[in-house]
Amino acid sequence: MPQSTLATRVIPAVPRLPLLDPEWPPGATVSSSPSWYLNFWEAGITSLSGTPSNSPAPLAPGEVVETANKVCKFSGQRLSWWQAQESCEQRFGHLVLPPPDGVLAPRLPNPIWVGQRESPLRRPPQRRAHTTAALRFGERTADRAARLRKPLPALGALTACAHVQWDAASPDTAALFSLAVPALANALQLRAFAEPGGAVHLALVVRGHHAPFRAAFRADGHWHHVCATWEQLGGRWALFADGRRRAGARGLGAGHPLPPGGVLVLGQDQDSLGGGFSARDAFSGNLTDFHLWARTLSPVQLNRARSCAPPLGGLLFRWDLGALDVTPSLLPPVWVRLFCPVPSEECPTWDPGPRTESPLLCLQQLPFLCCYGTGKSLSSCALGMLMATLENYLRLQEAQSWSGQDVISQVNALANATVLFPDPLSEEYGDLSPAEASSFLGILERVLAKEAAPLGPAALLAVVQFLKRVAALGAWESEPGTGPWEQLGQAVVSVASLVLEEPLASAWLKVGEVVGGPMALVASVQRLAPLLSSVLTSERPRMHFQHRQAGLELQRLHLREAGPEGSTFTMPGGHPEGPGHICIPAGEVRRLLGKGLSGVTVIHSWFSSSVFKHMPGAPGQGPPAPDSSEETSRMQRFLSTQVGSAIISSDVWDEAGEVNTAVTFHLQHQVQAFPQKLVEPVCAFWNFSIRDPLLWQRLCPACYLPLSPCQCISRALCSLLTPSPDSGGSWATSGCSVTALYRDSTACFCNHSTNFAILLQVYDVQRSPEDESLLRTLSFVGCGVSFCALATTFLLFLAAGVPKSERATVHKNLTFSLASAEGFLMASEWAKDNEVACVAVTAVMHLLFLVAFSWMLVEGLLLWSRVVAVSMRPGPRMRLYYATGWGVPVVIVAITLATSPQDYVATGHCWLNVHTDTIWAFVGPVLFVLTANTCILVRVVIVTVSSARRRARMLSPQPCVQQQLRIQMWATVKPVLVLLPVLGLTWLVGVLVHLSPAWAYAAVGLNSFQVLPGHTLELRGPGLSGD
């Protein structure tokens, strides 16, 4: 078959033949031939036959196509958006991102599902609230029924749907509804019975012919949506529960429509037309939202009915109590609030005809492409990225040659089925039921437990893929019916724990970049948890699964019953008030109650394997996180970041979906593993949506800059650097902060719920302990000397009778603010043990130091007006100076406290938190003042040198060269020495302290004695002018 000749190549879906082309060098790989590959793309791609094709052939099922920025495989299946996404993720890919390659578009069917760049839809379909009246059928009696007043027409087909809440205490057979016609009492009815503690079984009866009972939904006291369809053509019938087809066949009442004049009755079997009720066949439970159509609905239309938005076409009866004759024993009705899944939720598609992106209903069945790679340009770095993504695809193809195939064969032989696939790109997956998944996981657990040698990478890859399939049950099993859900949950946790054992670290390193590291395993466990939580009942409100390295707990929480400290989960070996717990604070519980929530499901999980510290994507070998402490960055050299604790998570769900909550957690870590190193704990969470920052350093080592990955690639590619659905994710710290530091544990607060851990940032010691001790001593002594000198200067200003002037006023304010700031700085060590006092001292120091720098700026402005502008006229400038010196700092501190009260103070000492943007409320104004005063100093020196030159010529018309040079040098050095401390420019030395201890000593000395040269000028004489 001829192929497109412009920019696509077909890759046969067989191992080790990824790039079938006669010019591909033997034994070469994509990564080993970048120049050849670039020339290949520039020259264009010809078909395998060498003959151009004017009409590209449509994509065939299973066909793999390589384009300029990705490798894509066309499945050929037609699935909902949710199922299509799950199908791609099971094969470690993602839905093609819009727009597809321009030359690929003509070969696509119309339309296809596409993925989302910003944040992949990983949640279940949304639900919306629907309040309606319900009939409450209590005890099984013969006097409880609801009859449709209007007779029905002749029916050759019908669909009946209702929301049903089954009474678990009533296991006997009952009729949910019945339809009788003249001369035929059992024209059509839907019958049901419940197994004790098990499932509700449904059966359809048509013209007296009884279909077999089939399990439909659990008798758990929850609302379930039930539908029955029938048509006379072939006697086709089907039963649906919670959006899933549960039973169906042919031959039930075939060829015979239901006669006209039918009577519909809810909750009873009719032994005669509109009557003949008996307690034996009475329904016990609640029923609402009943609808009847004179046609069979398609699966998409049935999902609309389930969403509480029934299709109007062919609708005979829409739920309306006014159209029913309801027996008095059923009155008054009760009002219930249903949470209906919204199939009208729209997902993105791409229509290659008009080449536009448009949304369609997510539950429609459409074809799709699974892709690998996100590159968009062939700049040097983009080419490297393309090579890496193609390399990952090649690794998946080569997985069949990796070690570990014996375990795969052993598991498949014991299961007598293909459980683990040697080829991770295989399209041969069949449907997987919960019972099958539980059975296969049991076999897998036994094999892994008995395996003496560490698992090979091929087996590990296959296990991770199978767990993805199990987690994907939620895409097909939107509401759990019958099945061994508890056994399934325990088996998933056990298998996940077994593949997180320390001996498998090397296997994880080999498959980590392909699967996203061991956090992909965590994601699989947690994506299955909401489905498992649906099995919880009032009799069984809690489920707990645990095995060695992992654990999962699901609990129904009545918010009003939460303790005064909130809701706390404690890991095995942990303490509810110490390390090893995570807590939803009491304030969050009150907030949820304020939103009208009364009960939620809380899902907690923990993973304690040391494998996580080796995970790809963790910043273990990259540049330091941006929130490393000020002291550490000044004293130490960053080495690495390691996951230093267990991983713990907390998720809250209500009936409408996931609810975001703030959490606190306290985890233990081991700093003793890094002797002779400084270790700084950091509170972090795993963000599945952000790209691994180390990927850029690995792909673009020659142009890597840690400030921005966009600096290493072309500008055309920068706009496309959005999170990739298959990038695996990375650790992040936004919204998380340290609340308490201990010797071997750390307590944290995060304003959202997800997976959390303590990261340990490891630094090499650049200064000796002796240097650090000496610097601390000199700093304290210097602050004391500076404080004494500033205080003495201020008292002299007050006592010596210095004439009032602008200069004197500015010097007084600068001296007072700087002396006060130094005093509070020395006293701050005694306030750090009291939280309120520490916040107060920090705010006062923040204000006073800003005031000091503001008056330094005023000093510069005054100097400019006197020396450069030469303006000696008095004016209203002092008001402006006071507004600058005191008003601006007060506004800055007030805004900072109002916007960042939680992140204001650092942990362990009383000063601004350098882990957040709060520090810029000090650094920003200081940098502005230093920049402005530097410019002023340069201009003043120029004016001073020019004035000295003119004065020298007036005194000596022909001075010698040496005399001129000496005069000019003194004219330059004198103002610099005098004005550097007055303008605060000695603080610039602090920028260089990380280069050498010598600069640290210089900074301590200069800033400690900042007062002496400049603040006595007013007492000594005219100062700069010298005239």
Side-chain angles (χ1 to χ4, degrees):
M1 180 175 62
Q3 307 293 331
S4 172
T5 62
L6 296 177
T8 63
R9 279 189 298 167
V10 177
I11 306 176
V14 295
R16 296 189 175 277
L17 290 175
L19 299 168
L20 185 58
D21 189 274
E23 295 191 24
W24 185 264
T29 63
V30 175
S31 58
S32 64
S33 306
S35 60
W36 176 90
Y37 190 81
L38 185 60
N39 295 333
F40 183 88
W41 281 106
E42 292 175 347
I45 302 175
T46 59
S47 64
L48 296 179
S49 62
T51 305
S53 172
N54 295 324
S55 55
L59 289 173
E63 185 174 340
V64 181
V65 178
E66 180 186 336
T67 69
N69 64 329
K70 64 178 75 74
V71 175
C72 295
K73 187 172 185 178
F74 182 64
S75 171
Q77 294 178 288
R78 300 178 70 89
L79 300 175
S80 70
W81 191 93
W82 308 99
Q83 296 168 344
Q85 176 185 250
E86 293 286 0
S87 178
C88 290
E89 289 187 351
Q90 288 173 31
R91 295 160 181 83
F92 310 106
H94 60 86
L95 287 175
V96 63
L97 298 177
D101 192 276
V103 294
L104 180 62
R107 305 190 59 199
L108 296 175
N110 299 329
I112 62 166
W113 290 126
V114 293
Q116 292 190 335
R117 287 187 184 276
E118 295 298 332
S119 57
L121 297 175
R122 293 184 178 274
R123 49 182 171 74
Q126 292 179 350
R127 294 175 178 267
R128 65 181 179 192
H130 172 59
T131 303
T132 183
L135 296 177
R136 182 167 53 188
F137 297 84
E139 297 179 1
R140 295 164 60 91
T141 63
D143 62 346
R144 297 188 179 187
R147 172 180 170 176
L148 182 63
R149 293 176 183 150
K150 181 180 178 181
L152 297 175
L155 296 173
L158 64 81
T159 299
C161 293
H163 277 93
V164 177
Q165 193 176 35
W166 188 271
D167 183 1
S170 176
D172 298 330
T173 303
L176 294 178
F177 69 87
S178 62
L179 194 159
V181 298
L184 185 59
N186 293 324
L188 187 143
Q189 61 179 282
L190 182 62
R191 302 181 65 81
F193 76 90
E195 295 176 339
V200 175
H201 296 247
L202 299 178
L204 191 66
V205 179
V206 180
R207 302 183 68 88
H209 298 285
H210 204 300
F213 281 99
R214 292 289 184 267
F217 58 88
R218 290 179 60 86
D220 53 9
H222 294 173
W223 285 100
H224 295 274
H225 189 254
V226 176
C227 290
T229 65
W230 172 83
E231 59 180 326
Q232 64 167 339
L233 183 62
R236 288 192 291 264
W237 64 274
L239 296 177
F240 296 82
D242 297 323
R244 184 178 176 88
R245 181 185 172 104
R246 303 295 181 179
R250 292 171 172 265
L252 192 62
H256 300 283
L258 301 180
V263 175
L264 176 69
V265 173
L266 303 179
Q268 276 287 358
D269 178 21
Q270 303 176 62
D271 289 337
S272 61
L273 186 64
F277 304 149
S278 67
R280 183 184 65 254
D281 297 318
F283 166 63
S284 179
N286 299 324
L287 185 146
T288 187
D289 222 26
F290 182 89
H291 293 77
L292 182 68
W293 292 265
R295 65 188 181 99
T296 57
L297 299 185
S298 67
V300 172
Q301 293 168 332
L302 288 172
N303 275 292
R304 282 187 175 277
R306 185 184 172 218
S307 73
C308 308
L312 300 180
L315 186 61
L316 288 177
F317 171 68
R318 187 187 187 104
W319 181 243
D320 180 11
L321 291 182
L324 298 172
D325 286 326
V326 182
T327 58
S329 59
L330 286 178
L331 295 176
V334 295
W335 289 91
V336 297
R337 190 184 187 204
L338 302 176
F339 288 92
C340 311
V342 183
S344 58
E345 184 178 16
E346 295 179 332
C347 294
T349 67
W350 175 262
D351 192 338
R355 299 198 174 198
T356 57
E357 184 179 356
S358 59
L360 289 179
L361 299 182
C362 296
L363 295 179
Q364 290 194 42
Q365 310 288 311
L366 295 180
F368 58 94
L369 281 164
C370 293
C371 294
Y372 306 81
T374 55
K376 203 66 182 176
S377 165
L378 285 182
S379 64
S380 60
C381 289
L383 179 60
M385 181 168 60
L386 173 60
M387 298 303 177
T389 54
L390 290 181
E391 183 178 344
N392 282 345
Y393 182 78
L394 298 182
R395 287 183 181 180
L396 290 173
Q397 283 194 315
E398 296 172 351
Q400 296 179 72
S401 63
W402 291 353
S403 61
Q405 300 295 334
D406 54 336
V407 176
I408 296 177
S409 302
Q410 184 181 356
V411 171
N412 292 341
L414 291 174
N416 197 24
T418 305
V419 178
L420 304 181
F421 285 81
D423 181 10
L425 300 173
S426 173
E427 296 282 349
E428 299 176 2
Y429 295 166
D431 292 337
L432 185 67
S433 68
E436 291 174 330
S438 181
S439 174
F440 294 157
L441 284 168
I443 296 172
L444 183 56
E445 179 183 356
R446 291 193 296 271
V447 172
L448 293 177
K450 294 179 181 178
E451 190 70 19
L455 207 62
L460 178 59
L461 185 66
V463 171
V464 172
Q465 188 171 45
F466 181 69
L467 290 178
K468 281 178 172 285
R469 291 183 64 197
V470 175
L473 287 172
W476 281 266
E477 195 78 24
S478 55
E479 296 287 347
T482 59
W485 294 104
E486 188 169 355
Q487 297 90 327
L488 180 67
Q490 180 59 59
V492 167
V493 171
S494 298
V495 171
S497 174
L498 288 169
V499 297
L500 288 174
E501 300 283 354
E502 176 66 25
L504 272 68
S506 59
W508 275 111
L509 288 175
K510 185 172 181 65
V511 305
E513 292 185 5
V514 176
V515 305
M519 287 303 294
L521 207 64
V522 174
S524 296
V525 174
Q526 293 174 346
R527 291 176 68 182
L528 186 65
L531 184 63
L532 298 175
S533 67
S534 301
V535 186
L536 297 175
T537 63
S538 55
E539 293 78 17
R540 182 79 183 281
R542 179 177 176 271
M543 297 174 66
H544 182 83
F545 312 108
Q546 179 181 339
H547 187 278
R548 296 184 191 171
Q549 311 288 336
L552 176 67
E553 182 178 276
L554 308 96
Q555 180 182 7
R556 279 192 175 179
L557 175 66
H558 295 285
L559 295 176
R560 297 191 182 277
E561 299 176 3
E565 301 298 326
S567 175
T568 301
F569 167 75
T570 305
M571 293 171 49
H575 192 277
E577 297 180 357
H581 80 269
I582 187 168
C583 176
I584 302 173
E588 287 295 291
V589 174
R590 291 192 294 270
R591 183 179 67 85
L592 296 180
L593 285 170
K595 294 175 61 177
L597 298 177
S598 59
V600 295
T601 299
V602 183
I603 302 172
H604 296 295
S605 64
W606 58 269
F607 301 86
S608 59
S609 172
S610 60
V611 168
F612 289 99
K613 68 182 180 182
H614 305 295
M615 71 172 65
Q621 300 173 0
D627 55 354
S628 56
S629 71
E630 179 184 4
E631 182 180 0
T632 300
S633 62
R634 186 174 65 243
M635 294 164 33
Q636 316 297 330
R637 180 174 60 87
F638 176 82
L639 294 180
S640 65
T641 300
Q642 302 287 343
V643 178
S645 70
I647 294 174
I648 195 169
S649 74
S650 176
D651 293 296
V652 178
W653 290 71
D654 68 353
E655 292 178 297
E658 189 171 4
V659 180
N660 188 47
T661 61
V663 298
T664 61
F665 60 95
H666 189 175
L667 295 175
Q668 192 168 14
H669 48 72
Q670 294 293 331
V671 299
Q672 294 84 357
F674 306 97
Q676 306 301 320
K677 299 290 187 293
L678 177 68
V679 179
E680 179 184 7
V682 177
C683 302
F685 70 97
W686 184 263
N687 189 336
F688 287 96
S689 299
I690 63 175
R691 190 186 302 278
D692 175 9
L694 296 186
L695 177 65
W696 303 106
Q697 185 178 14
R698 182 172 61 86
L699 297 180
C700 313
C703 52
Y704 171 72
L705 288 176
L707 295 178
S708 171
C710 287
Q711 296 177 358
C712 79
I713 55 177
S714 65
R715 293 196 176 194
L717 191 59
C718 286
S719 61
L720 297 171
L721 290 181
T722 49
S724 169
D726 62 341
S727 61
S730 185
W731 290 107
T733 59
S734 58
C736 295
S737 59
V738 175
T739 59
L741 282 172
Y742 304 94
R743 182 175 180 274
D744 58 354
S745 65
T746 299
C748 303
F749 168 85
C750 285
N751 60 10
H752 49 77
S753 52
T754 180
N755 299 285
F756 304 101
I758 303 298
L759 303 186
L760 300 179
Q761 292 185 337
V762 185
Y763 296 83
D764 193 12
V765 178
Q766 287 188 320
R767 290 189 206 137
S768 66
E770 293 77 11
D771 283 336
E772 184 59 25
S773 176
L774 181 59
L775 281 173
R776 288 181 180 275
T777 303
L778 289 177
S779 296
F780 191 84
V781 171
C783 281
V785 172
S786 179
F787 174 77
C788 293
L790 287 166
T792 302
T793 304
F794 182 73
L795 293 176
L796 288 175
F797 270 117
L798 297 178
V802 178
K804 291 185 177 180
S805 65
E806 289 182 340
R807 292 179 63 188
T809 302
V810 172
H811 285 340
K812 287 179 184 179
N813 281 276
L814 175 57
T815 304
F816 172 78
S817 59
L818 197 55
S820 301
E822 300 275 7
F824 276 97
L825 179 61
M826 289 188 294
S828 63
E829 284 295 314
W830 288 275
K832 66 181 181 181
D833 295 329
N834 187 303
E835 183 178 354
V836 175
C838 191
V839 173
V841 168
T842 300
V844 172
M845 285 198 301
H846 185 195
L847 174 64
L848 291 174
F849 274 113
L850 284 181
V851 169
F853 276 97
S854 297
W855 283 106
M856 292 177 198
L857 177 62
V858 172
E859 289 272 12
L861 296 176
L862 182 62
L863 189 64
W864 179 277
S865 68
R866 294 294 178 86
V867 177
V868 180
V870 194
S871 174
M872 306 300 293
R873 292 179 301 173
R877 290 181 298 192
M878 284 309 303
R879 293 181 181 178
L880 175 62
Y881 291 161
Y882 272 108
T884 302
W886 288 98
V888 173
V890 169
V891 171
I892 293 175
V893 173
I895 292 177
T896 306
L897 282 171
T899 56
S900 305
Q902 302 295 331
D903 300 330
Y904 188 70
V905 180
T907 302
H909 57 279
C910 299
W911 182 236
L912 299 179
N913 190 348
V914 298
H915 291 190
T916 65
D917 292 336
T918 305
I919 190 61
W920 288 103
F922 176 74
V923 174
V926 168
L927 291 178
F928 173 77
V929 170
L930 295 181
T931 302
N933 281 354
T934 300
C935 296
I936 291 173
L937 178 62
V938 171
R939 184 65 179 134
V940 166
V941 168
I942 293 174
V943 172
T944 305
V945 171
S946 176
S947 176
R949 186 184 301 114
R950 289 196 305 270
R951 186 182 304 109
R953 288 178 179 176
M954 292 174 59
L955 297 176
S956 177
Q958 294 181 344
C960 64
V961 175
Q962 292 182 349
Q963 183 180 4
Q964 286 184 347
L965 184 60
R966 184 170 57 254
I967 293 173
Q968 293 182 11
M969 289 182 61
W970 177 243
T972 302
V973 172
K974 178 182 177 181
V976 170
L977 292 177
V978 172
L979 294 179
L980 272 178
V982 176
L983 300 180
L985 298 183
T986 53
W987 286 70
L988 290 172
V989 181
V991 179
L992 307 175
V993 296
H994 68 284
L995 297 179
S996 169
W999 288 107
Y1001 289 117
V1004 169
L1006 289 174
N1007 291 318
S1008 298
F1009 299 98
Q1010 178 181 359
V1011 60
L1012 298 181
H1015 290 81
T1016 57
L1017 291 177
E1018 191 68 27
L1019 301 175
R1020 292 191 302 104
L1024 270 180
S1025 61
D1027 296 327

